[in-house]
Amino acid sequence: MTTALITGSTAGIGAAFARRLAADGHDLVLVARDAKRLREQATELHDRHGIEAEVLPADLSEDKGIETVADRLGDRKNPVDLLINNAGFGNKGRYLEVSMADELTMLKVHCEAVLRLTSAAAGAMRERGRGGVVNVASVAAFVPRGTYGASKAWVVQFTQGAARDLAGTGVRLMVLCPGFVRTEFHQRAGMGTDNIPGWMWLDADKLVAAALADLARGKSLSVPDPRYKALMGLVKVTPRGLLGGVTSRTGRKYGPQ
Protein backbone atom coordinates (compact mmCIF):
# COMPACT_ATOMS: atom_id res chain seq x y z
CA MET A 1 0.00 0.00 0.00
CA THR A 2 1.45 3.37 -1.02
CA THR A 3 1.52 6.59 1.00
CA ALA A 4 0.58 10.08 -0.16
CA LEU A 5 1.43 13.32 1.66
CA ILE A 6 -0.94 16.25 1.07
CA THR A 7 -0.30 19.81 2.22
CA GLY A 8 -3.33 21.99 2.86
CA SER A 9 -5.32 18.78 3.25
CA THR A 10 -8.24 19.94 5.40
CA ALA A 11 -10.17 21.97 2.81
CA GLY A 12 -10.80 22.50 -0.86
CA ILE A 13 -8.61 20.78 -3.44
CA GLY A 14 -6.41 19.24 -0.74
CA ALA A 15 -9.41 17.64 0.96
CA ALA A 16 -10.63 16.35 -2.41
CA PHE A 17 -7.23 14.72 -3.02
CA ALA A 18 -7.40 13.15 0.44
CA ARG A 19 -10.87 11.72 -0.18
CA ARG A 20 -9.95 10.29 -3.57
CA LEU A 21 -6.60 8.83 -2.56
CA ALA A 22 -8.08 7.29 0.59
CA ALA A 23 -10.89 5.75 -1.45
CA ASP A 24 -8.24 4.30 -3.77
CA GLY A 25 -6.52 2.65 -0.80
CA HIS A 26 -3.57 4.96 -0.20
CA ASP A 27 -2.34 5.64 3.31
CA LEU A 28 -2.06 9.38 3.95
CA VAL A 29 0.08 11.96 5.69
CA LEU A 30 -2.16 14.98 6.23
CA VAL A 31 -0.51 18.39 6.59
CA ALA A 32 -2.15 21.67 7.62
CA ARG A 33 -1.92 24.27 10.37
CA ASP A 34 -5.04 23.28 12.33
CA ALA A 35 -4.25 20.15 14.38
CA LYS A 36 -7.87 19.67 15.47
CA ARG A 37 -9.19 19.67 11.91
CA LEU A 38 -6.40 17.32 10.87
CA ARG A 39 -7.31 14.82 13.59
CA GLU A 40 -10.99 14.96 12.63
CA GLN A 41 -10.12 14.46 8.96
CA ALA A 42 -7.78 11.56 9.72
CA THR A 43 -10.40 9.81 11.84
CA GLU A 44 -13.09 10.21 9.19
CA LEU A 45 -10.90 8.88 6.37
CA HIS A 46 -9.65 5.97 8.47
CA ASP A 47 -13.16 4.97 9.55
CA ARG A 48 -14.62 5.30 6.05
CA HIS A 49 -11.85 3.69 3.99
CA GLY A 50 -9.78 1.65 6.43
CA ILE A 51 -6.53 3.43 5.56
CA GLU A 52 -3.89 4.79 7.92
CA ALA A 53 -3.90 8.58 8.16
CA GLU A 54 -0.95 10.28 9.85
CA VAL A 55 -1.43 13.82 11.16
CA LEU A 56 1.39 16.34 10.70
CA PRO A 57 0.55 19.90 11.84
CA ALA A 58 2.83 22.44 10.14
CA ASP A 59 2.77 26.07 9.06
CA LEU A 60 4.52 26.32 5.69
CA SER A 61 4.97 30.06 6.05
CA GLU A 62 7.67 29.30 8.64
CA ASP A 63 11.02 27.54 8.28
CA LYS A 64 10.21 25.16 11.13
CA GLY A 65 7.02 24.02 9.41
CA ILE A 66 8.76 23.46 6.08
CA GLU A 67 11.57 21.55 7.79
CA THR A 68 9.07 19.32 9.62
CA VAL A 69 7.40 18.27 6.39
CA ALA A 70 10.69 17.97 4.48
CA ASP A 71 12.01 15.62 7.17
CA ARG A 72 8.93 13.42 6.83
CA LEU A 73 9.31 13.33 3.04
CA GLY A 74 12.92 12.28 3.42
CA ASP A 75 12.15 9.41 5.82
CA ARG A 76 13.53 6.33 4.05
CA LYS A 77 11.96 3.89 6.54
CA ASN A 78 8.43 5.24 5.96
CA PRO A 79 8.55 6.43 2.35
CA VAL A 80 6.11 8.82 0.73
CA ASP A 81 5.20 7.71 -2.80
CA LEU A 82 3.12 10.72 -3.83
CA LEU A 83 3.43 14.36 -2.74
CA ILE A 84 0.60 16.82 -3.32
CA ASN A 85 1.90 20.37 -2.77
CA ASN A 86 -1.46 22.07 -2.41
CA ALA A 87 -1.07 24.59 0.44
CA GLY A 88 -1.63 28.18 -0.66
CA PHE A 89 -3.64 31.34 -0.19
CA GLY A 90 -4.53 34.65 -1.79
CA ASN A 91 -4.17 38.26 -0.64
CA LYS A 92 -6.98 40.73 -1.15
CA GLY A 93 -5.87 43.86 -2.97
CA ARG A 94 -3.77 44.98 -5.90
CA TYR A 95 -0.02 45.45 -5.97
CA LEU A 96 1.09 48.03 -3.36
CA GLU A 97 -2.25 47.62 -1.58
CA VAL A 98 -0.98 44.45 0.11
CA SER A 99 1.70 44.71 2.81
CA MET A 100 5.20 43.55 1.97
CA ALA A 101 5.04 41.09 4.86
CA ASP A 102 1.97 39.42 3.34
CA GLU A 103 3.55 39.37 -0.12
CA LEU A 104 6.68 37.67 1.24
CA THR A 105 4.62 35.15 3.18
CA MET A 106 2.86 34.21 -0.06
CA LEU A 107 6.18 33.67 -1.80
CA LYS A 108 7.37 31.57 1.15
CA VAL A 109 4.37 29.23 0.88
CA HIS A 110 3.93 29.19 -2.91
CA CYS A 111 7.59 29.11 -3.98
CA GLU A 112 10.09 28.31 -1.23
CA ALA A 113 7.98 25.61 0.42
CA VAL A 114 7.19 24.04 -2.95
CA LEU A 115 10.88 24.01 -3.90
CA ARG A 116 12.06 22.55 -0.61
CA LEU A 117 9.32 19.94 -0.29
CA THR A 118 9.55 18.85 -3.92
CA SER A 119 13.32 18.48 -3.55
CA ALA A 120 13.00 16.46 -0.34
CA ALA A 121 10.42 14.14 -1.90
CA ALA A 122 12.07 13.79 -5.31
CA GLY A 123 15.46 13.00 -3.82
CA ALA A 124 14.09 10.08 -1.83
CA MET A 125 11.90 8.95 -4.74
CA ARG A 126 14.83 8.95 -7.18
CA GLU A 127 16.74 6.60 -4.88
CA ARG A 128 13.81 4.15 -5.02
CA GLY A 129 13.25 4.66 -8.73
CA ARG A 130 9.60 5.60 -8.38
CA GLY A 131 7.26 8.28 -7.06
CA GLY A 132 5.22 11.29 -8.06
CA VAL A 133 4.79 14.97 -7.18
CA VAL A 134 1.81 17.18 -8.01
CA ASN A 135 2.34 20.90 -7.46
CA VAL A 136 -0.90 22.86 -7.46
CA ALA A 137 -0.65 26.17 -9.34
CA SER A 138 -3.45 28.02 -11.15
CA VAL A 139 -4.51 29.26 -14.58
CA ALA A 140 -3.59 32.66 -13.11
CA ALA A 141 0.00 31.59 -13.86
CA PHE A 142 -0.59 32.29 -17.56
CA VAL A 143 -1.85 35.87 -17.32
CA PRO A 144 -0.23 39.04 -15.90
CA ARG A 145 -2.25 39.42 -12.71
CA GLY A 146 -0.04 40.41 -9.78
CA THR A 147 1.97 38.55 -7.17
CA TYR A 148 -0.38 35.58 -6.90
CA GLY A 149 -0.19 34.86 -10.63
CA ALA A 150 3.56 35.46 -10.62
CA SER A 151 4.11 32.98 -7.80
CA LYS A 152 2.04 30.37 -9.60
CA ALA A 153 3.93 31.03 -12.84
CA TRP A 154 7.10 30.15 -10.92
CA VAL A 155 5.48 26.87 -9.82
CA VAL A 156 4.65 26.03 -13.45
CA GLN A 157 8.14 26.76 -14.76
CA PHE A 158 9.90 25.04 -11.86
CA THR A 159 7.80 21.89 -12.06
CA GLN A 160 8.06 21.45 -15.81
CA GLY A 161 11.80 22.08 -15.73
CA ALA A 162 12.33 19.63 -12.87
CA ALA A 163 10.16 17.06 -14.67
CA ARG A 164 12.50 17.22 -17.67
CA ASP A 165 15.58 16.90 -15.47
CA LEU A 166 14.14 13.81 -13.76
CA ALA A 167 12.92 12.11 -16.93
CA GLY A 168 13.88 8.44 -16.91
CA THR A 169 14.37 8.24 -13.14
CA GLY A 170 10.91 6.87 -12.36
CA VAL A 171 9.91 10.13 -10.64
CA ARG A 172 6.98 11.95 -12.23
CA LEU A 173 6.36 15.65 -11.65
CA MET A 174 3.20 17.47 -12.74
CA VAL A 175 1.85 20.96 -12.17
CA LEU A 176 -1.92 21.26 -11.79
CA CYS A 177 -3.51 24.51 -13.02
CA PRO A 178 -7.19 24.78 -12.03
CA GLY A 179 -9.50 27.72 -12.50
CA PHE A 180 -12.10 28.82 -9.95
CA VAL A 181 -12.94 25.99 -7.55
CA ARG A 182 -15.54 26.21 -4.78
CA THR A 183 -13.35 26.02 -1.67
CA GLU A 184 -12.53 28.12 1.41
CA PHE A 185 -9.82 29.94 -0.56
CA HIS A 186 -11.73 33.14 -1.32
CA GLN A 187 -13.49 33.26 2.04
CA ARG A 188 -10.18 33.06 3.92
CA ALA A 189 -8.81 35.94 1.83
CA GLY A 190 -11.92 38.04 2.45
CA MET A 191 -12.83 37.96 -1.24
CA GLY A 192 -16.39 38.02 -2.52
CA THR A 193 -17.29 35.69 -5.38
CA ASP A 194 -20.85 36.67 -6.30
CA ASN A 195 -19.61 38.37 -9.47
CA ILE A 196 -17.94 35.24 -10.89
CA PRO A 197 -20.09 33.57 -13.61
CA GLY A 198 -21.40 30.12 -12.77
CA TRP A 199 -19.76 28.49 -15.79
CA MET A 200 -16.29 29.37 -14.44
CA TRP A 201 -16.64 27.25 -11.29
CA LEU A 202 -15.13 23.75 -11.12
CA ASP A 203 -15.99 20.82 -8.86
CA ALA A 204 -13.04 19.85 -6.65
CA ASP A 205 -13.65 16.09 -6.81
CA LYS A 206 -13.91 16.06 -10.61
CA LEU A 207 -10.82 18.26 -10.79
CA VAL A 208 -8.82 15.77 -8.72
CA ALA A 209 -10.00 12.81 -10.77
CA ALA A 210 -8.87 14.52 -13.97
CA ALA A 211 -5.55 15.55 -12.41
CA LEU A 212 -4.72 12.01 -11.26
CA ALA A 213 -5.61 10.69 -14.72
CA ASP A 214 -3.21 13.22 -16.28
CA LEU A 215 -0.47 12.20 -13.81
CA ALA A 216 -0.97 8.55 -14.77
CA ARG A 217 -0.60 9.54 -18.44
CA GLY A 218 2.76 11.13 -17.69
CA LYS A 219 1.75 14.74 -18.29
CA SER A 220 3.87 17.49 -16.73
CA LEU A 221 1.08 20.10 -17.02
CA SER A 222 -2.59 19.54 -16.25
CA VAL A 223 -5.38 22.03 -17.04
CA PRO A 224 -8.20 19.63 -16.19
CA ASP A 225 -11.30 21.11 -17.77
CA PRO A 226 -12.27 21.78 -21.42
CA ARG A 227 -13.49 25.29 -20.56
CA TYR A 228 -10.18 26.38 -19.15
CA LYS A 229 -8.23 24.52 -21.84
CA ALA A 230 -10.08 26.67 -24.38
CA LEU A 231 -9.36 29.85 -22.42
CA MET A 232 -5.67 28.99 -22.15
CA GLY A 233 -5.60 28.37 -25.90
CA LEU A 234 -6.84 31.93 -26.44
CA VAL A 235 -4.25 33.26 -23.99
CA LYS A 236 -1.43 31.70 -26.02
CA VAL A 237 -2.38 33.56 -29.21
CA THR A 238 -3.23 36.92 -27.59
CA PRO A 239 -0.46 39.58 -27.72
CA ARG A 240 1.06 40.12 -24.28
CA GLY A 241 0.33 43.86 -24.18
CA LEU A 242 -3.32 43.35 -25.10
CA LEU A 243 -3.58 40.44 -22.67
CA GLY A 244 -2.44 42.64 -19.79
CA GLY A 245 -5.24 45.14 -20.41
CA VAL A 246 -7.87 42.44 -20.91
CA THR A 247 -6.94 40.55 -17.74
CA SER A 248 -6.89 43.76 -15.74
CA ARG A 249 -10.41 44.67 -16.86
CA THR A 250 -11.63 41.08 -16.49
CA GLY A 251 -10.11 40.88 -13.03
CA ARG A 252 -12.02 43.98 -11.95
CA LYS A 253 -15.24 42.60 -13.41
CA TYR A 254 -15.05 38.92 -12.49
CA GLY A 255 -12.20 38.68 -10.00
CA PRO A 256 -12.61 38.54 -6.23
CA GLN A 257 -13.87 41.78 -4.70
Side-chain angles (χ1 to χ4, degrees):
M1 187 177 291
T2 59
T3 299
L5 185 148
I6 306 167
T7 70
S9 71
T10 54
I13 294 173
F17 268 111
R19 289 192 297 270
R20 172 58 188 267
L21 292 169
D24 287 347
H26 297 271
D27 287 337
L28 300 176
V29 181
L30 304 171
V31 179
R33 292 178 297 176
D34 191 326
K36 181 175 182 291
R37 289 184 71 178
L38 282 173
R39 289 192 295 269
E40 292 171 350
Q41 181 184 32
T43 299
E44 179 185 354
L45 293 172
H46 169 75
D47 291 349
R48 179 172 296 182
H49 301 291
I51 55 94
E52 296 301 317
E54 178 184 342
V55 167
L56 189 61
D59 185 346
L60 298 182
S61 69
E62 299 179 355
D63 283 329
K64 182 179 179 181
I66 297 174
E67 290 165 4
T68 296
V69 182
D71 287 345
R72 178 62 184 86
L73 289 166
D75 186 346
R76 270 58 173 179
K77 294 182 179 179
N78 299 289
V80 171
D81 305 278
L82 176 63
L83 166 64
I84 309 293
N85 267 320
N86 168 73
F89 65 95
N91 288 319
K92 183 179 181 180
R94 300 181 188 179
Y95 174 60
L96 295 184
E97 295 177 351
V98 178
S99 73
M100 184 56 63
D102 288 343
E103 295 278 42
L104 291 173
T105 298
M106 175 180 288
L107 294 179
K108 185 89 169 181
V109 175
H110 290 183
C111 301
E112 182 180 340
V114 168
L115 170 62
R116 292 169 65 180
L117 299 186
T118 298
S119 299
M125 292 171 181
R126 184 171 61 177
E127 291 177 7
R128 299 192 302 273
R130 67 183 186 279
V133 178
V134 176
N135 291 329
V136 179
S138 168
V139 293
F142 303 108
V143 295
R145 284 294 293 163
T147 307
Y148 179 82
S151 69
K152 293 302 187 180
W154 183 89
V155 175
V156 171
Q157 293 297 318
F158 161 67
T159 305
Q160 291 197 288
R164 285 191 292 270
D165 288 344
L166 291 174
T169 66
V171 183
R172 294 172 294 169
L173 272 72
M174 186 185 80
V175 59
L176 170 61
C177 295
F180 288 106
V181 184
R182 294 197 183 279
T183 69
E184 297 179 4
F185 177 92
H186 298 95
Q187 181 182 357
R188 286 180 174 179
M191 301 173 179
T193 57
D194 292 342
N195 57 333
I196 300 172
W199 66 267
M200 297 184 74
W201 289 105
L202 303 177
D203 177 80
D205 292 312
K206 292 179 180 178
L207 171 77
V208 165
L212 291 174
D214 282 346
L215 180 66
R217 295 187 188 104
K219 291 188 175 184
S220 65
L221 171 67
S222 174
V223 182
D225 185 86
R227 292 164 289 182
Y228 281 96
K229 284 186 172 72
L231 286 175
M232 293 306 98
L234 290 174
V235 165
K236 289 181 180 179
V237 299
T238 303
R240 196 70 175 174
L242 177 60
L243 182 63
V246 170
T247 56
S248 180
R249 292 191 298 273
T250 303
R252 287 193 293 272
K253 182 176 182 181
Y254 295 131
Q257 302 296 309

